[in-house]
Amino acid sequence: MIEGQEVRRQAGRLRYAMAGGGAGAFIGDVHRKSIAMDGAAEIVAGCFSRSFQNTLSTGASLGIARDRLYASPEEMIRAEAGRPDRIDFVAVVTPNNSHYPISRLALENGFHVVCEKPMTTSGRDAEDLGRLAAAKDLFFCVAYAYSGYPMVKHVREMVSRGELGAIRFISAEYPQDWLATPLEKTGQKQAAWRADPDFAGISNCVGDIGSHIENVVSRITGFEIESLLARLDRFGAGRVLDDNASIMVNYKGGARGLFWSSQIAVGHDNGLRVRIYGSKASVEWLQECPNQLRISYVDKPTEMVSRGRDRLHPRAQAFSRLPSGHPEGYFECFANLYSTFLGALGKRNSGEPLSADDLDFPNAGDGIRGVRFIETCVKSSKNGAVWIDF
Amino acid sequence: MIEGQEVRRQAGRLRYAMAGGGAGAFIGDVHRKSIAMDGAAEIVAGCFSRSFQNTLSTGASLGIARDRLYASPEEMIRAEAGRPDRIDFVAVVTPNNSHYPISRLALENGFHVVCEKPMTTSGRDAEDLGRLAAAKDLFFCVAYAYSGYPMVKHVREMVSRGELGAIRFISAEYPQDWLATPLEKTGQKQAAWRADPDFAGISNCVGDIGSHIENVVSRITGFEIESLLARLDRFGAGRVLDDNASIMVNYKGGARGLFWSSQIAVGHDNGLRVRIYGSKASVEWLQECPNQLRISYVDKPTEMVSRGRDRLHPRAQAFSRLPSGHPEGYFECFANLYSTFLGALGKRNSGEPLSADDLDFPNAGDGIRGVRFIETCVKSSKNGAVWIDF
Amino acid sequence: MIEGQEVRRQAGRLRYAMAGGGAGAFIGDVHRKSIAMDGAAEIVAGCFSRSFQNTLSTGASLGIARDRLYASPEEMIRAEAGRPDRIDFVAVVTPNNSHYPISRLALENGFHVVCEKPMTTSGRDAEDLGRLAAAKDLFFCVAYAYSGYPMVKHVREMVSRGELGAIRFISAEYPQDWLATPLEKTGQKQAAWRADPDFAGISNCVGDIGSHIENVVSRITGFEIESLLARLDRFGAGRVLDDNASIMVNYKGGARGLFWSSQIAVGHDNGLRVRIYGSKASVEWLQECPNQLRISYVDKPTEMVSRGRDRLHPRAQAFSRLPSGHPEGYFECFANLYSTFLGALGKRNSGEPLSADDLDFPNAGDGIRGVRFIETCVKSSKNGAVWIDF
Amino acid sequence: MIEGQEVRRQAGRLRYAMAGGGAGAFIGDVHRKSIAMDGAAEIVAGCFSRSFQNTLSTGASLGIARDRLYASPEEMIRAEAGRPDRIDFVAVVTPNNSHYPISRLALENGFHVVCEKPMTTSGRDAEDLGRLAAAKDLFFCVAYAYSGYPMVKHVREMVSRGELGAIRFISAEYPQDWLATPLEKTGQKQAAWRADPDFAGISNCVGDIGSHIENVVSRITGFEIESLLARLDRFGAGRVLDDNASIMVNYKGGARGLFWSSQIAVGHDNGLRVRIYGSKASVEWLQECPNQLRISYVDKPTEMVSRGRDRLHPRAQAFSRLPSGHPEGYFECFANLYSTFLGALGKRNSGEPLSADDLDFPNAGDGIRGVRFIETCVKSSKNGAVWIDF
C-alpha cells in the first residue's frame, strides 16, 4: 500500500532540490513554504549551505532523506541526474554570484530551473543561460515574485485593455531602511553578502530591489526601455556598492518613468509602490497593502478596489485565494508564481499543449533584461549619471 | 528505502482527517493550506461533503488514498480508529450544527480535535465536549484563528505587562457586507447555511463573527464578562437570524466594552478591529492590516509598530515569519494556530512536558465561553435588549 | 469721506457683541476669526470674561472701542440695547451654565442670538428660550458647527435623495483623549469648568461632544429618536461627571444607532466619525479629514470623494471655498455656519423672503433636542443603563 | 466718536491694495480671507482685473470705496502714492508676466510688496526687484505659503537641531491632475493663462508647482543646490509649456534630491509631499493632511505627530491656532505667512527692532532663487535633460 501511494504521488507531485536556503537565509524558506502550501511539488534533495552541517540540520527538519543532502550544489546536481526518482527542477536561492554556475549545471543535466533574481551578475552570463535553456528546451523561471500578486495581474489587464488610456508617466519606488545603519558589519548574513561585490556583483540596491521595479513595470506595461539615466549613491560609510538609486527612464513610445530604490530610507520596510498615470485613469499599488488597488479617473471619483470583494479581470481573479478582507501576503504571491510554473511543468510532463497564460511566469527573458538594467544603471552612474541607450 | 522514508515521516509528521471542506466550502481549504505550509501534519483521510462525489474529487486532488475517503464523518472516524496508521486528529470544518456529534465521536474514539467556531450550537453540548475531552485527556482546539496573529499576541503581552495601565474601555467591531443583499437566496452555499437555523443554530451574525470579538478580547485581556446587553437586528428581508448586533459588556473589575458586528455594513470586507484604551496607553489593531499596530500614549506621540521591523515581545516575535514589509496574512495566522497545536501534540506524543506557552491555542474553555456568549446575546435581545448576568 | 465710508459699511455689515471668549478660552476666538474671514459682520462690543481686565485687554487687541467693553453680559446687553448703532446679535460663548440667562436677556432686548452648545443645562430652559425667540420673532442659532462642513451637507443630500437606499444602521463616535489624565486638577481652564457640574451642568462628555453626534446624525438623516439607552462612565479619579459614554439609539422607522463619545480615549484628538449604512450604499466621514468622504456601494467599488475635485450636490458645493487638495478645516466649517446665519439675517434686515436653504443653520429646535438628548442619556445611565423613550 | 474710532484703527491696522484677484481668479481671495482672519490689515484699494467692471463689482462686494477702485495697477499705485491715508503694501496676485512691472512700480513708489510666485518670468527681473527693494529698504514677500504650516516649521527646526542626523536624500513631489485633460481650451481662466507663455513665462508645471518644492525644501534644509538635471514633458496635446517634470538635484554637502511635479497625474489633487531621510531619522509631510507628521527612526517605532496634541518646537507651536483634531488648512497656512509679514511691518512702522524670527517669511532671495530654479530646469531639459551647475 505504501508503495502504491508513492507511485500515485509520483504521478501528481513534482520533485525538486534546492541550492541555498539554510539556517540564516531568508528567501529559501519562502520558496519552500509557498510550494508546500499548494502541494504540487515536494522537496526531496538539497544543498542548503556552504556548511554541510547546516545542510544536514536543515534537511532533517524538512524530512529529506539523508542520502539526498549534498555537500555542494555540483554534487547534488550530478547525483540527482543519475537517480531513477530524479528531481524535476532545481530552486537556486544562493547569493547572486553562484546563480550562474549552479543554474548552468542544472540546465546541462536536464533540470528545469527556478532562480532568484538577479539571474546572474553579468549580462553575458544571463544570455548564456537563456540560450542554453532554449537549446535544451527547459523552463527557466526567475523569481520576480511580485508579479504573482492578483492586483499586479489586474493592473496588467487594465493596461492591455486600454482602461488607463495612453500611459504617460510611471512613478515607482522601492524604499527599505534595513541598511540605514552598517548592518553588514555586524555579521548579519543577509546584509553581509549583499554589500560584498564578490557575492552580490556590481550592485547592491539596484540589483536587489531596483530590478524588481524594472520587472514589475515591464510585466505590467510591456513597455521597452529606450534609454535611462541613473544616479547611484553610497551613503553608508565604507560601502563599495550602491545603497540608494534615482533612475529616469524613457520608454519607447513616449512614456516616461521615474524610479527610486533605497536601502537607507529610514521608516520604510519593503515599500514597493507602483503608480501608473494614463490619459484616462491611473492606478496606485503598494506591495505592503497588496490586496487593495487605488484607481483614479479623469472624470469620476477615485475607487478603492478590494481583492475578493470587487471583481477583478479573470486572469487576476484566478489567483485570488481568499474571500474579501482575509489578507493575502508575500507567501501567497510566491505561491502564485509557483502554481503557474508548476502548472506549466505538469502540463508539459503530461504532454498537454501550453497557452500563453500557462507560461505567464518571469522567464529567462525577464532575467536577461533585469541584468542588463542593472548593468546600464551602473554604467550611467559611473559616467556621471548620463543618459545611456538601453 | 521508501519504507524507511515512510517510517521516518511517521515519526516527524502527524496525520489528520478532515470533516467538511469540499468544493464550495471556504474554511477547510484554509486549514489544509495552513497546515501544509509548515509541513508538520499530513492530511490522509477525509469526508469533505455530504456529497460523496465531492469528497472523492476533493480527496483525489489532495492525493488522498481512495480507501480513506469516506461517505460520512461517522464512517470515517470509526474506520480510522481501526487502522494501524490511524490519524492523530480530526479537523471539523462542517456547518455549526454538526460540530457536536462529529467532535464527540472523534473524542470517543481517542482522536484529538480541531473544531471550527462556534464550538457547538448549544452551551450544554459545548460543556459536554469539554468534559469528554478532559476525561479522555485529549486536545480540543477551537479555531478562533485571529489570536494567531503576531500582533494580537504582542498586544496580549503588552496588557499583561501593564504597558497600557489600567484597561478602561474596549471598542471592538467586526463589520462585513457580504449579506447586505439576500445572498442566501441565490444558492451561495456559505450564505445559505449561515442564514438557516437548522445549520447555524440560534444566531448568524453573533455566532459567526461576533463571537470572534469575544474571543480576541478575552484572549488579549483575560477579562471575565460580568454582564452584557445585546440588540440583534435582522435587516435582510425574511431573515430568521440576526445580521447585525450591538453589544454592551461590563467586565469584572470595571472595564467596559462596546462591540458591533455586522454582515450588512456596506463597504466592509472583514473588518475586525480591536481598540483597547488604558490609563497609560491604547492600542488599535485591524485584521485587514495585521502587520501593523497603532500604539498611543498619554504622554508622547502615537507609534506605528511594524511586524518584522520593530521588536515585539518574544511570545509574539516567535510567530513572525517574514522580514518587515513582506506582508503576512490570514493563512499565516491560521498556520500559527496550527503550529502551536501541532507542536503541543508532537511534544505530547514524544512524552515531553508541556508548558503554558506550548498550550497557547484556543481550547474547549474558549469554545464553551464563546457559545455561552452567543446564547446570552440572543437571550438579552429577545427580552428587549436588557442586561443579563454572564 | 470717512463718515460716508462708515455709513456704507453699516449698510453691508452686521454688528455683534460677544459674551465670553477672553484670553484662556478657546471657542470665542474661533467664532471671531470665522466671522472675520468672510467679513459679513463686525465685532463692536464684548464682555469676554468675568475678569474685566481680561475683557479690556481682549477688546483692545480686537480694536473694540473702550466704551463698548462691559463688566458683565447683562450690562452689555442693556447698554447696547440703548445705542443708536446697536448690535444685531449676541454671540454667547460662555460656559454652559450661563447660556440661558445671557441668551434670555439678549432675546428680551430684541437681539438675535448665536449660542454655543449645549443650548442650556436643562430642557426646561431650552424650551423657554425657544418659545421666547419664536414670540419675539428672533433668530436663535446653536453653534453645532460640524454641519457646516461641505461633506456633511453632501451626505445629507445623498440621504434625502435616497442614494444610500433605506438607512439601516448608524455608527458614530467622538473620541478625544485630553481628559485621560486629571487635567481639570491642573488649573487648565477648559477642563476645569467642563468637569464642574456648577458650570457644565449634568454631563461633561455627553454634553460637550456626545451631543455633537446627536446633532450631526439628526441633521443628516432627519430621523427622530424613539428610545435610547446610555451607559455613562467616570474613569478619571474623583470625577463627578461622565468622561465616557456608550449609547444605543432606536430611531423611528427602524434604523438603529450605536454611539460612543469619550474624553479618555488615549490616542484620539477630536475624532468625530460618522458612518451611515443603507441598503444600497454607505458613507464614512471623519471630522479630522473633512475634505474626503468614503462612499461604498453594494455593487461597485468604494469611492473616495474629494471636495473640490468631485462634484458635490449643489447645496454642499456652495460651501466649498478652495480648489481640490487645498485643505479646508475647522475655521471654514464655522465660517459656513456663520455665512448662512448672517446671510439669513442680512436678507431679513433688507426685507427679502427667506427660503428653507437660507435658514439652514442649527436653531432652537436643534438646541432643545440636544439638551433633551443629554438629559435622557443621564437618566438612562442613572437607572442602570436602561431603555428610555425619547 | 466714529472719527476717533477710525483714527485708532489707522494706528493698529495696516492698509493694503490688491492687483489681481477679481471674479474668476483663485488666489486673490485666499490672500484677502487669510488677512481678514487675523484682522491685522485692511484692504482699502484694488485693481482686481483687466476688466474694470470686474474690479468695480469685486470692490463693491469687499466694501472698498469707489474712488479707490482703479482701472490699472499703474493708476492704482500712482494714485495711492499721493493719498494721505495711503496704503502700506500692495498684494500682487496677477498672472506671472505682470508680477515684475507692478512690483517694480510699487517699490518705486515706496510700497512694500507681497507678490505671488514665481516672483517674475526671468531671473534678471527678479534680481532687479531684489536690488530695488534692498535699495529702498522695503519688504518684499514672495507668497510661497506652504512654509507657513506649523509642521513645515517644525521639520525645519528638527533639521537644524540635528534630530534627523545627516540629511542624505530628499524625495519630494507635487502632483495634480487638473490639466490631465485640455482644460485650457475650455475657457477656464486659471488653466488658460498658465498654459500660455505670454502670461506664464517659460514654464507652466515647474513654474507653478515645481518651484514650491524647491522653496519648501530650501526653507526646511537651508541646503544649496550644486547642480540639477530636469526632464520636462508636455503630455497634453498642443501644449507649448511643460505639464510634468522629473528633476534630480545634487546639493552642496552631498545630499541628493529627487523631485517630481505634475499637472497630469490623474487622481492627485494638490499632493505636495516632502520626505527627508537622514542618518538617524526621517520625516514625511503631506500638504493635504497638514496637521500630521510622520517621523521614523533608525532605532524605534515610527511616530505620528499631531499638531495641537504633541508638543512642537516653539517656532512651530507659535503658529498652531487650534486644539488637536480641529483641522487647520490652507487659509491658515496663508494667514501664518501674513501674520509674520504684517507683524514685521507693524514692528518696523513702530520702530521696534526686528529679529530673524520676525523676518521669517519668504523674501526676495527666495523669489530670485525660485526663478533661477525654473530657468535652470528649462535649460537642462532643452539640452536633453543634462546636468547643469546651479
Side-chain angles (χ1 to χ4, degrees), chain A residues 8-9 26 30 33 36-38 42 63 177 269-270 287 306 309 321-323 325-327 329-332, chain B residues 8-9 26 30 33 36-38 42 63 177 269-270 287 306 309 321-323 325-327 329-332:
Chain A
R8 184 188 43 70
R9 270 195 198 141
F26 150 49
V30 174
K33 283 190 159 61
M37 180 182 286
D38 287 334
E42 188 175 12
D177 73 356
D269 291 341
N270 197 45
Q287 190 271 149
S306 168
R309 178 187 199 271
R321 294 156 176 264
L322 287 169
H326 296 74
Y330 189 67
F331 284 116
E332 289 72 52
Chain B
R8 186 188 43 70
R9 270 196 197 141
F26 149 49
V30 174
K33 284 190 159 61
M37 179 182 288
D38 287 334
E42 189 176 13
D177 73 356
D269 291 342
N270 197 44
Q287 191 271 152
S306 167
R309 178 187 198 271
R321 295 156 176 265
L322 288 169
H326 296 75
Y330 189 68
F331 283 116
E332 289 72 52

Side-chain angles (χ1 to χ4, degrees), chain A residues 327-367:
Chain A
E328 295 177 358
Y330 189 67
F331 284 116
E332 289 72 52
C333 101
F334 242 94
N336 290 340
L337 179 132
Y338 268 109
S339 75
T340 306
F341 173 77
L342 296 173
L345 207 48
K347 277 197 170 179
R348 177 191 153 118
N349 287 355
S350 60
E352 293 177 65
L354 289 160
S355 69
D357 283 352
D358 288 331
L359 295 168
D360 180 22
F361 54 82
N363 59 21
D366 292 77

Side-chain angles (χ1 to χ4, degrees), chain C residues 8-9 26 33 36-38 42 63 177 269-270 287-288 306 309 321-323 325-327 329-332, chain D residues 8-9 26 30 33 36-38 42 63 177 269-270 287 306 309 321-323 325-327 329-332:
Chain C
R8 185 188 42 71
R9 269 192 198 143
F26 150 49
K33 283 190 160 60
M37 180 182 286
D38 287 335
E42 188 175 12
D177 73 357
D269 291 341
N270 197 45
Q287 191 271 148
E288 297 189 15
S306 168
R309 179 187 198 271
R321 295 156 176 263
L322 287 170
H326 296 74
Y330 190 67
F331 284 116
E332 289 73 51
Chain D
R8 187 187 43 69
R9 270 193 196 141
F26 150 48
V30 174
K33 283 189 161 60
M37 180 182 286
D38 287 333
E42 188 176 12
D177 73 356
D269 290 342
N270 197 44
Q287 190 271 150
S306 167
R309 178 186 198 271
R321 295 155 176 266
L322 287 170
H326 296 75
Y330 190 66
F331 283 116
E332 290 71 53

Side-chain angles (χ1 to χ4, degrees), chain D residues 179-184 195 204 234-241 243 264:
Chain D
L179 299 180
T181 56
L183 188 63
E184 72 271 23
N204 177 7
R234 292 171 296 166
F235 287 114
R239 281 197 183 139
V240 178
L241 298 180
D243 53 18
I264 56 91

Side-chain angles (χ1 to χ4, degrees), chain A residues 1-3 5-6 8-9 13 15 26 29-30 32-34 36-39 42-44 60 62-68 83 85 146 149 174 176-178 266-271 287-292 306-307 309 321-332, chain B residues 1-3 5-6 8-10 13 15 26 29-30 32-34 36-39 42 44 60 62-68 83 85 146 149 174 176-178 266-271 287-292 306-307 309 321-332:
Chain A
M1 181 192 66
I2 286 169
E3 279 187 33
Q5 187 175 343
E6 185 60 30
R8 184 188 43 70
R9 270 195 198 141
R13 285 180 111 184
R15 298 165 182 281
F26 150 49
D29 191 55
V30 174
R32 291 190 298 257
K33 283 190 159 61
S34 301
M37 180 182 286
D38 287 334
E42 188 175 12
I43 185 163
V44 296
L62 294 168
I64 299 175
R66 171 65 184 78
D67 67 332
R68 294 178 91 168
R83 292 180 68 104
D85 57 352
Y146 295 127
Y149 278 115
Y174 196 150
Q176 300 179 329
D177 73 356
W178 69 304
V266 177
H268 292 280
D269 291 341
N270 197 45
Q287 190 271 149
E288 298 190 15
C289 298
N291 299 278
Q292 276 74 42
S306 168
R307 183 199 52 74
R309 178 187 199 271
R321 294 156 176 264
L322 287 169
S324 63
H326 296 74
E328 295 177 358
Y330 189 67
F331 284 116
E332 289 72 52
Chain B
M1 183 191 67
I2 287 170
E3 278 187 33
Q5 186 176 342
E6 185 60 27
R8 186 188 43 70
R9 270 196 197 141
Q10 283 182 327
R13 285 182 108 184
R15 299 165 181 281
F26 149 49
D29 190 54
V30 174
R32 291 190 298 258
K33 284 190 159 61
S34 301
M37 179 182 288
D38 287 334
E42 189 176 13
V44 297
L62 294 167
I64 298 176
R66 171 64 184 79
D67 67 332
R68 294 178 92 168
R83 292 180 68 103
D85 57 353
Y146 295 127
Y149 278 115
Y174 198 150
Q176 299 179 328
D177 73 356
W178 69 303
V266 176
H268 293 280
D269 291 342
N270 197 44
Q287 191 271 152
E288 298 189 14
C289 298
N291 299 278
Q292 277 75 40
S306 167
R307 184 200 52 73
R309 178 187 198 271
R321 295 156 176 265
L322 288 169
S324 63
H326 296 75
E328 294 178 1
Y330 189 68
F331 283 116
E332 289 72 52

